[in-house]
Amino acid sequence: MKLHTLLTLLLLLFTGFALGATPTPVLRGKIIDRQSKSPVSYATVTLALDHKAVKAEAADASGRFEIAAPAAKGYTLAITMIGYKTFTREIDLETSTDLGTLELDAGVTVEEVIIEVFKPVVKVDAEKMTYSVENDPQASGSTIDEIIRKVPQLSIDGEGNVLLNGKGDYKILLNGHVSTSYNNNFKEIIKSMPADQISRIEVITNPSVKYDAEGTSGVINLVTVKKKHEFGYNGSLYAGIITSSDDPAGYNAGANFSLQKGKFAMNLQGWYYDAPMHSTILSRQENFDSENRYNDSRAQSDNKFRNGTINLDMSYQPDTLNLLTLNLSYGGYKSTGHATSDFQLKNPSLEELFRYTEHRHNLYSAPTASLTTNYEHTFGRAGHVLTFSDEVAHEKFNADSDNEYQGGYTHRKITDNGSTSLSNTFQIDYANPLSEHHSVEAGIKHIYRHNTTPMTSLVRPDPDTDYAPGPYSDMDYRQHILALYAGYGITCAKWSARVGTRMERTWNDAEAEDQDHARYSFRNRQFNIVPFVSISFLPRPTHSLSLSYTQRLQRPSVQMLSPAVESTTPLYISYGNPDLEAAVSHSFALNYGYYSRKWNLMAGVTSSFSNNLMSMYSTADDKGVVTSTYSNDVHTRSVGFFSSLTMNPSRKFNLTLTFGGDYSKYDFDRMNIHSDHFNFNQNLNMNIALWKDAWFTAGEFYYSGYNFLGAHTGDYFSYYFSLKQEFLKKRLELSITANDLFSPTLKYTYTVENPTYRLNQTSRQALRRVRFTLRWRFGHKSVRVKTTRHTIKNDDIMESKQQGGTVAQ
């Protein structure tokens, strides 16, 4: 905690330094499109001396800007905006000056003005908060999990689960579209994915109507790097080794290659991660209404996790009005492991009644592939576009296990459990800035999914008998989703507003066969209309204030709907509920942002409520067997806050402080559970330039723990140090990162209590980790693979397992 105190004092010192700046001359003007004479909103305006940026600001929605800089002669004024040629002019700024109207020409920039511009790490608007990974000095040589700890509203608990405002019911998007692999294995992927392959992380808590409405907490969108447009090629190769306090060493490696030739551009990237993990879990379950009063267990597991992805982006722009893009992605993960668990059942006097041991061998794999194509046509005016998108995705999940029981249970069960999903999404998006003050957007989307989920098993009652067919199930599931949306925006001076609505209609149909080979079917129909309203106010170009309201949906997955009974262990049974409805959560957000060259502040207040939240709930019978299913009966209310402060007093030092909290109240009458809680997370990071091409980075993170309907986790504290050195004109880079160097083991607690049982669980795993990474960059030009304004964004399904939270017990 001494590091925390020191960094906090430094933060206060530099805050005073920034606030004490002397008033300087102001340069004003208005930016318009030369052809249409309409304002160019949010263009970047930069003043530079000798190719070094002195000040950079963003124009407002009406194209107006104000930029203050020290009085001097020989400034270069540069105005940049996507889709326009760079505007430059030599300026002598000795007193405040109004440049009047400045006109930008549409098209690709033909000459580059090279300046060093300070770019804010965090930005906020009515819809989302954006964390620029590209602008974070720590990104090179780091993995995504280390960056996520610094993102406002996001936190990581002691088990590595990512939480959004303390909750796990969100959706993960990669470049705007969903991957089942990312949503089911996000916490493992972010440990291996290189941070410098991500351009920005968007935390979308109040998504507008162009997004699918699924995910009650919101959406996390990872946008991969798209470099700036030039002719040429470049690339990089890297490899690293990861050591920890108890586990054998792991390693990672990857490559990236970009090529631009004429109207064609492509980017190929891939990465691979291989790491072992050992953990120990102790638990005690007390069954209040059973003679089998206590279920005690001790489990030790050793797992090896492999994860990799190959991603190809291509774009072709025959002229300035038409653009074709293609994305091809293939990847997945594979996990093998062995676990030994000892179980004991005891009576109220703690006398042993029953004992058995389970030896479990697991093999999990999940290969995924997707092909996305987009065509965009621009109607001669910036922002007036029509986009056609199509995506085909194939995903497969295999879970093979071999369970052998000794002691009270002597049988052995071999299970082959898997699922295959084939989906197609077609989408049309239209956006039209009708005039300087008015804009409209609309779209239509259809999703078709076909899932098959066969499960077979063989059971041997004892070592002297032959295997016989055991529990069996097979399901063929088809889903159609039709969505329509329309929105309208208006801008007036410093005010702007957006309104819209989204209609979603869902058809679910399934044919299945249970363990007795009896056929059954179920169907589920859902219809929702989702509104969106936002109001934004820009009192000055450096200040923003926004207020928004929308609804979020929590739609059940096929596993949550299926009535098929599953028994993963002799003491645990689960099944779905085909009568589940989409849960509706009403969400409000008030955000404020301030941006300047030396410091930035972003803060917000959020509130939400739901009267039919979906949740898993569990009960224990008189034999101590736990049965779990789902319901729509949870009422919840919450209010939260978050803030991010970034200090940049010089080019050699920057510091970021983020923190937030959330108070929530839950009522679940079915189980007579009523609870409320407050959770808090905080993160502090600093970057220091040591000598030429060398950086030192340090930080710490604290999370108070997660609570939901009688379930809660312990708190968690983590810290890290990192050193990066570049050689050979920044082509070769060596980085060393140490996480929790003086804390070899993580102790993590989890507790559940309801009217039928109480569960206390403690897990331990290696915490200390040191990573060495070597990177080589080659090529002499940068390349940008263009992207359309709209693409497929599938974020509509609520998985039965949360990415980062704990389902209700």
Side-chain angles (χ1 to χ4, degrees):
M1 285 301 203
K2 293 182 179 179
L3 174 63
H4 179 110
T5 304
L6 175 61
L7 295 181
T8 302
L9 291 174
L10 287 173
L11 173 65
L12 296 175
L13 174 62
F14 286 114
T15 300
F17 175 80
L19 293 176
T22 304
T24 55
V26 177
L27 189 67
R28 299 181 178 89
K30 181 177 181 180
I31 307 166
I32 66 172
D33 183 290
R34 183 182 297 277
Q35 182 178 359
S36 66
K37 304 303 180 184
S38 59
V40 178
S41 303
Y42 309 115
T44 300
V45 183
T46 306
L47 278 176
L49 276 174
D50 299 325
H51 301 297
K52 300 289 185 180
V54 176
K55 194 67 177 291
E57 301 288 359
D60 63 18
S62 63
R64 298 183 182 278
F65 67 88
E66 292 185 357
I67 184 167
K73 294 183 178 181
Y75 278 113
T76 297
L77 171 69
I79 301 175
T80 57
M81 183 64 183
I82 295 174
Y84 289 90
K85 297 179 181 179
T86 299
F87 175 96
T88 61
R89 178 181 293 183
E90 297 301 316
I91 298 290
D92 292 334
L93 185 62
E94 297 179 326
T95 60
S96 294
T97 304
D98 193 332
L99 297 177
T101 300
L102 305 176
E103 298 180 339
L104 297 189
D105 293 311
V108 179
T109 301
V110 295
E111 60 180 352
E112 181 184 10
V113 178
I114 303 175
I115 51 180
E116 295 181 15
V117 181
F118 167 73
K119 301 175 181 179
V121 175
V122 179
K123 291 185 178 180
V124 64
D125 57 34
E127 180 180 283
K128 64 183 179 296
M129 185 282 303
T130 302
Y131 187 92
S132 176
V133 182
E134 286 183 309
N135 298 340
D136 187 330
Q138 192 198 353
S140 180
S142 298
T143 51
I144 290 297
D145 65 327
E146 295 168 333
I147 300 298
I148 283 179
R149 298 181 189 278
K150 303 160 69 172
V151 178
Q153 298 178 271
L154 298 185
S155 57
I156 300 180
D157 66 18
E159 291 186 324
N161 299 308
V162 178
L163 305 180
L164 198 169
N165 288 330
K167 300 180 178 63
D169 50 343
Y170 53 80
K171 297 304 280 185
I172 302 295
L173 303 184
L174 182 66
N175 291 323
H177 57 88
V178 151
S179 164
T180 298
S181 177
Y182 273 74
N183 278 275
N184 289 345
N185 307 283
F186 190 50
K187 75 175 185 178
E188 300 296 340
I189 289 174
I190 62 176
K191 294 177 183 177
S192 56
M193 190 174 189
D196 60 3
Q197 292 190 12
I198 297 297
S199 169
R200 62 186 184 273
I201 300 172
E202 297 176 344
V203 181
I204 311 170
T205 52
N206 271 31
S208 63
V209 293
K210 68 182 179 182
Y211 292 92
D212 293 319
E214 180 60 35
T216 55
S217 291
V219 174
I220 301 174
N221 185 27
L222 305 181
V223 181
T224 55
V225 171
K226 311 294 179 185
K227 297 181 180 179
K228 66 182 181 179
H229 183 81
E230 280 188 4
F231 296 93
Y233 71 94
N234 65 32
S236 64
L237 301 170
Y238 74 89
I241 185 169
I242 306 163
T243 66
S244 66
S245 50
D246 294 328
D247 299 330
Y251 59 88
N252 63 336
N256 181 79
F257 178 74
S258 297
L259 173 69
Q260 175 90 35
K261 187 174 183 180
K263 300 174 181 180
F264 171 80
M266 61 84 67
N267 173 259
L268 178 65
Q269 56 181 300
W271 49 270
Y272 179 77
Y273 174 80
D274 188 313
M277 186 179 73
H278 173 81
S279 64
T280 301
I281 301 177
L282 302 176
S283 68
R284 163 165 287 187
Q285 177 181 311
E286 182 179 1
N287 307 303
F288 300 141
D289 300 320
S290 172
E291 181 62 24
N292 299 333
R293 185 63 174 267
Y294 298 102
N295 296 350
D296 292 345
S297 69
R298 175 186 175 88
Q300 296 190 68
S301 63
D302 291 281
N303 296 281
K304 190 173 185 62
F305 184 84
R306 300 178 180 91
N307 187 21
T309 295
I310 298 175
N311 191 73
L312 173 65
D313 282 296
M314 295 188 293
S315 69
Y316 176 71
Q317 189 172 28
D319 53 54
T320 58
L321 300 181
N322 296 282
L323 174 64
L324 292 168
T325 69
L326 179 145
N327 172 266
L328 179 63
S329 179
Y330 178 78
Y333 74 93
K334 184 177 182 180
S335 175
T336 57
H338 170 262
T340 299
S341 303
D342 296 311
F343 297 89
Q344 298 181 58
L345 271 67
K346 300 178 180 179
N347 63 19
S349 301
L350 294 177
E351 297 172 336
E352 182 178 306
L353 302 174
F354 189 71
R355 173 194 290 266
Y356 71 94
T357 299
E358 178 191 38
H359 299 279
R360 183 183 183 95
H361 295 269
N362 299 312
L363 172 60
Y364 300 107
S365 63
T368 65
S370 66
L371 173 65
T372 304
T373 56
N374 300 281
Y375 166 70
E376 179 181 273
H377 176 72
T378 303
F379 294 92
R381 185 170 71 250
H384 188 190
V385 297
L386 177 66
T387 307
F388 296 88
S389 304
D390 187 78
E391 179 187 75
V392 178
H394 182 269
E395 299 167 344
K396 190 172 184 179
F397 175 74
N398 297 302
D400 300 331
S401 63
D402 184 350
N403 297 57
E404 183 174 7
Y405 299 91
Q406 299 173 342
Y409 293 111
T410 58
H411 71 280
R412 184 173 184 178
K413 182 170 71 172
I414 300 175
T415 304
D416 183 0
N417 193 356
S419 65
T420 301
S421 173
L422 179 65
S423 66
N424 176 249
T425 303
F426 180 74
Q427 182 171 323
I428 302 175
D429 296 282
Y430 175 73
N432 187 351
L434 300 173
S435 66
E436 178 181 351
H437 300 292
H438 305 275
S439 64
V440 295
E441 62 178 352
I444 184 171
K445 178 177 184 178
H446 176 261
I447 305 174
Y448 168 72
R449 292 188 178 98
H450 181 203
N451 295 349
T452 57
T453 56
M455 189 276 286
T456 60
S457 65
L458 295 173
V459 176
R460 186 179 65 180
D462 57 68
D464 298 325
T465 59
D466 295 330
Y467 284 101
Y472 166 89
S473 67
D474 191 10
M475 181 180 296
D476 190 289
Y477 169 74
R478 299 175 190 269
Q479 181 185 67
H480 290 269
I481 300 175
L482 178 65
L484 302 171
Y485 76 87
Y488 167 74
I490 183 172
T491 300
C492 183
K494 298 181 178 182
W495 292 88
S496 63
R498 296 174 64 191
V499 296
T501 187
R502 184 182 184 92
M503 181 277 292
E504 295 189 2
R505 173 66 167 166
T506 305
W507 295 265
N508 298 308
D509 294 279
E511 297 287 337
E513 187 174 352
D514 64 17
Q515 60 185 9
D516 298 322
H517 296 276
R519 302 292 299 180
Y520 67 95
S521 63
F522 66 89
R523 59 186 297 185
N524 183 278
R525 301 291 185 264
Q526 299 172 19
F527 178 78
N528 297 95
I529 295 179
V530 178
F532 175 81
V533 180
S534 73
I535 300 174
S536 298
F537 176 57
L538 299 174
R540 297 188 65 185
T542 55
H543 298 260
S544 67
L545 187 67
S546 62
L547 175 67
S548 61
Y549 163 77
T550 190
Q551 292 179 2
R552 301 300 297 160
L553 303 180
Q554 185 188 18
R555 187 180 290 116
S557 67
V558 60
Q559 291 83 5
M560 300 172 74
L561 293 170
S562 172
V565 176
E566 295 186 9
S567 179
T568 56
T569 73
L571 297 176
Y572 185 82
I573 297 172
S574 64
Y575 56 89
N577 179 1
D579 296 324
L580 290 175
E581 300 177 350
V584 178
S585 178
H586 302 264
S587 179
F588 303 84
L590 176 64
N591 296 324
Y592 168 77
Y594 171 77
Y595 310 100
S596 70
R597 186 174 183 274
K598 288 190 178 294
W599 66 286
N600 304 296
L601 173 66
M602 191 273 290
V605 178
T606 61
S607 179
S608 65
F609 70 90
S610 175
N611 295 318
N612 68 335
L613 191 67
M614 194 185 319
S615 177
M616 175 187 283
Y617 68 97
S618 304
T619 58
D621 63 16
D622 56 0
K623 297 181 180 180
V625 177
V626 175
T627 300
S628 300
T629 188
Y630 301 88
S631 81
N632 274 118
D633 301 331
V634 179
H635 295 249
T636 179
R637 306 287 185 272
S638 69
V639 60
F641 69 94
F642 58 90
S643 183
S644 174
L645 179 62
T646 302
M647 304 294 303
N648 294 273
S650 73
R651 296 182 183 276
K652 295 187 176 183
F653 179 84
N654 66 69
L655 184 147
T656 300
L657 171 67
T658 64
F659 58 91
D662 180 272
Y663 172 80
S664 298
K665 178 176 174 57
Y666 301 99
D667 295 290
F668 187 28
D669 293 336
R670 181 190 295 263
M671 294 288 294
N672 193 28
I673 298 176
H674 306 277
S675 64
D676 61 345
H677 75 275
F678 176 79
N679 69 67
F680 176 79
N681 65 85
Q682 171 269 327
N683 182 255
L684 191 64
N685 298 273
M686 68 174 182
N687 298 282
I688 303 173
L690 300 176
W691 48 80
K692 183 180 180 181
D693 298 331
W695 281 87
F696 172 76
T697 303
E700 54 82 27
F701 169 80
Y702 175 76
Y703 179 58
S704 64
Y706 179 77
N707 294 265
F708 182 67
L709 283 179
H712 61 89
T713 65
D715 61 355
Y716 173 58
F717 177 74
S718 178
Y719 55 92
Y720 72 92
F721 308 94
S722 179
L723 179 64
K724 181 179 69 175
Q725 176 69 65
E726 294 175 318
F727 306 91
L728 304 177
K729 297 181 179 180
K730 299 187 177 182
R731 289 185 178 272
L732 181 65
E733 175 187 297
L734 172 65
S735 63
I736 303 172
T737 302
N739 295 80
D740 302 289
L741 190 60
F742 307 106
S743 307
T745 304
L746 168 66
K747 179 181 178 182
Y748 186 71
T749 61
Y750 172 67
T751 303
V752 178
E753 183 170 358
N754 65 35
T756 63
Y757 76 93
R758 179 193 299 115
L759 173 66
N760 294 303
Q761 190 175 89
T762 301
S763 65
R764 287 181 170 84
Q765 63 186 49
L767 183 62
R768 182 169 56 213
R769 184 175 58 177
V770 179
R771 184 176 66 252
F772 302 87
T773 302
L774 188 66
R775 182 182 305 271
W776 171 258
R777 299 181 178 91
F778 59 89
H780 54 83
K781 292 289 185 181
S782 58
V783 178
R784 180 172 71 97
V785 180
K786 292 195 171 184
T787 58
T788 54
R789 292 170 60 92
H790 298 275
T791 186
I792 301 294
K793 298 180 177 69
N794 285 347
D795 53 352
D796 58 289
I797 294 295
M798 176 63 186
E799 302 296 337
S800 57
K801 294 183 179 180
Q802 309 297 306
Q803 302 95 322
T806 306
V807 292
Q809 303 291 326

